[in-house]
Amino acid sequence: MSLYAIRFMMGIAEAGFYPGLAYYITLWFRLEIRPSKFAVLNIGGACSAIVAGILAYGILQMEGLWGLHGWQWIFILEAIPAIMLGVADMCGAMPNPPCYYKSVEDLQRGLPWLTPAECVYLYNKERKQIGDTSTNISTKSVNNPTNNNHTGGSGAVHDSIRSNLFTIFSTWQLWMFGFMFCTNATAAGGLIFFLPTVYRSLGLSETHANLLTALPAVGTACLAMAIAKLAERMKRPKEISIITSAVIATCFFLFACSVMVSSSSFSDIGLLRIIAASVANAVGSVVYSLWFSWTTEYTKGPSSALGVAFVNSIGNLGGILGPHFMSWSFDTYGTYVWALVMLACGALVAFILNVIMYAIELFSSLKKQNQENE
């Protein structure tokens, strides 16, 4: 029971971590280059998934040392780096974002590696974000103290929590993103937790099954940055997200069909099953980089963190539903087939929602363009 209690407290403690990082990214990077920055977060998560299993195996060998169980040593030893980084951050190891500086001079002193032009750009960006363009300054006036003593910072900081929450809950696009994440996470979460079991059904040993389970994490680490950079270079992140979500849905249906065939041969259907599962999970993690970047278009200031947290909260429900479907299917019918079909349908729904979201934005953009031309 104590293990469940500790895990629950860990969930509470880490709940704001990803939304906070997402907000931090929005403070530093413009929208066009955010996909690759979110990809870095996904790469970190994928690498941790690869390393965590190896570390856990070694730490579990410490069973009984100093009267502690192996799982207790995992909590202790893996917590130390996180605590050290947290303390270092509190001590100022990470620089404050531009919105914390009240003038261009303060920004130059606090972030000395930025050029004057970059300082002016970031300062004006913050003023524009709070709707105050009357105090914008030019690069020529950077060294003129009389022109730069405006109060900077994100005006959203002064907004009430109630106002920000109302904005988040009333933004229908965030609900759409939440359901996209949820349906995709249902598919990915249901499969990833049961991959070792499915692989063992092919007659593979437990060691080989666990090694193959790491393939999606390796694929994520390799594909995340490549796809994000491709989206940035082509300036088509939304179109790329549609393609990747289509690949995910296709792979899930291939995986479900291969299980229906029930072949235990590694050389034919079994190999297809492994490839489809690995690609589906790898690309399934990559698409989050594009979606989170897209999400930040509809929020600004501190509400960016609230928006990401809101979308992430809905999406995390999929991590509960997916494994539940797998257990229910096996307990009820003695097979994972029906659950895999449901997971594939979840991936398909995510793709459809992605297309709908893109179509609505495209239609609105064309309508606005026609009105301006008239």
Side-chain angles (χ1 to χ4, degrees):
M1 189 53 129
S2 60
L3 178 62
Y4 289 109
I6 292 174
R7 188 62 189 90
F8 177 76
M9 296 302 295
M10 284 179 60
I12 294 177
E14 69 184 15
F17 179 70
Y18 198 98
L21 287 178
Y23 171 50
Y24 197 78
I25 287 175
T26 64
L27 296 176
W28 280 101
F29 304 101
R30 64 182 187 274
L31 184 64
E32 294 80 7
I33 60 173
R34 285 179 194 168
S36 61
K37 315 313 171 190
F38 281 105
V40 172
L41 298 184
N42 282 335
I43 290 174
C47 291
S48 68
I50 298 171
V51 176
I54 301 174
L55 287 178
Y57 176 79
I59 295 174
L60 285 174
Q61 306 309 309
M62 300 172 64
E63 175 73 27
L65 182 63
W66 293 354
L68 297 176
H69 294 291
W71 65 266
Q72 292 174 312
W73 279 112
I74 289 178
F75 278 104
I76 293 172
L77 295 181
E78 293 190 358
I80 291 175
I83 294 173
M84 292 176 63
L85 287 173
V87 172
D89 182 31
M90 293 177 63
C91 294
M94 291 184 67
N96 289 326
C99 67
Y100 282 82
Y101 298 97
K102 297 183 178 181
S103 68
V104 177
E105 288 87 356
D106 289 341
L107 202 153
Q108 286 181 301
R109 284 191 293 268
L111 308 173
W113 65 86
L114 296 178
T115 65
E118 290 171 337
C119 290
V120 170
Y121 168 80
L122 290 173
Y123 178 82
N124 288 338
K125 173 176 173 288
E126 292 302 320
R127 303 307 303 173
K128 181 179 179 181
Q129 182 168 291
I130 63 175
D132 180 9
T133 57
S134 62
T135 56
N136 282 2
I137 60 175
S138 64
T139 306
K140 295 180 181 179
S141 60
V142 171
N143 296 319
N144 184 358
T146 61
N147 292 333
N148 299 335
N149 56 0
H150 310 295
T151 301
S154 176
V157 173
H158 304 292
D159 292 341
S160 65
I161 296 177
R162 181 182 300 177
S163 176
N164 284 331
L165 287 176
F166 176 79
T167 300
I168 295 302
F169 282 103
S170 61
T171 304
W172 66 266
Q173 291 92 339
L174 296 181
W175 286 95
M176 286 283 286
F177 283 121
F179 289 123
M180 284 164 57
F181 274 85
C182 182
T183 51
N184 190 75
T186 299
L191 184 58
I192 193 66
F193 285 112
F194 283 82
L195 268 182
T197 302
V198 176
Y199 286 151
R200 283 195 293 270
S201 70
L202 296 173
L204 299 177
S205 66
E206 184 172 353
T207 301
H208 288 153
N210 289 331
L211 287 174
L212 288 172
T213 304
L215 282 179
V218 177
T220 299
C222 295
L223 291 175
M225 185 58 68
I227 293 178
K229 283 295 184 181
L230 176 64
E232 292 176 0
R233 183 178 295 274
M234 296 179 64
K235 298 183 179 180
R236 291 281 187 256
K238 298 171 185 178
E239 291 84 348
I240 297 296
S241 72
I242 292 176
I243 295 173
T244 52
S245 58
V247 171
I248 296 168
T250 301
C251 287
F252 268 101
F253 274 105
L254 287 175
F255 186 83
C257 290
S258 71
V259 174
M260 288 180 184
V261 175
S262 299
S263 172
S264 61
S265 172
F266 180 82
S267 60
D268 44 24
I269 301 299
L271 182 59
L272 171 64
R273 196 179 302 181
I274 291 172
I275 294 174
S278 299
V279 173
N281 277 286
V283 181
S285 299
V286 170
V287 77
Y288 291 141
S289 303
L290 305 175
W291 285 349
F292 270 123
S293 177
W294 195 352
T295 299
T296 58
E297 288 189 32
Y298 298 96
T299 57
K300 63 180 180 178
S303 62
S304 295
L306 288 174
V308 173
F310 175 72
V311 171
N312 205 35
S313 297
I314 299 176
N316 282 338
L317 295 175
I320 301 174
L321 295 174
H324 176 74
F325 288 153
M326 295 292 282
S327 298
W328 165 81
S329 177
F330 189 81
D331 293 341
T332 305
Y333 300 104
T335 178
Y336 294 115
V337 170
W338 298 113
L340 290 173
V341 171
M342 295 173 69
L343 299 187
C345 290
L348 179 61
V349 170
F351 165 70
I352 294 173
L353 292 176
N354 199 342
V355 173
I356 293 174
M357 188 71 185
Y358 176 76
I360 292 174
E361 280 197 2
L362 183 62
F363 175 78
S364 299
S365 177
L366 292 175
K367 183 178 179 180
K368 182 178 179 181
Q369 190 175 18
N370 290 334
Q371 291 175 347
E372 291 176 351
N373 292 335
E374 294 176 355

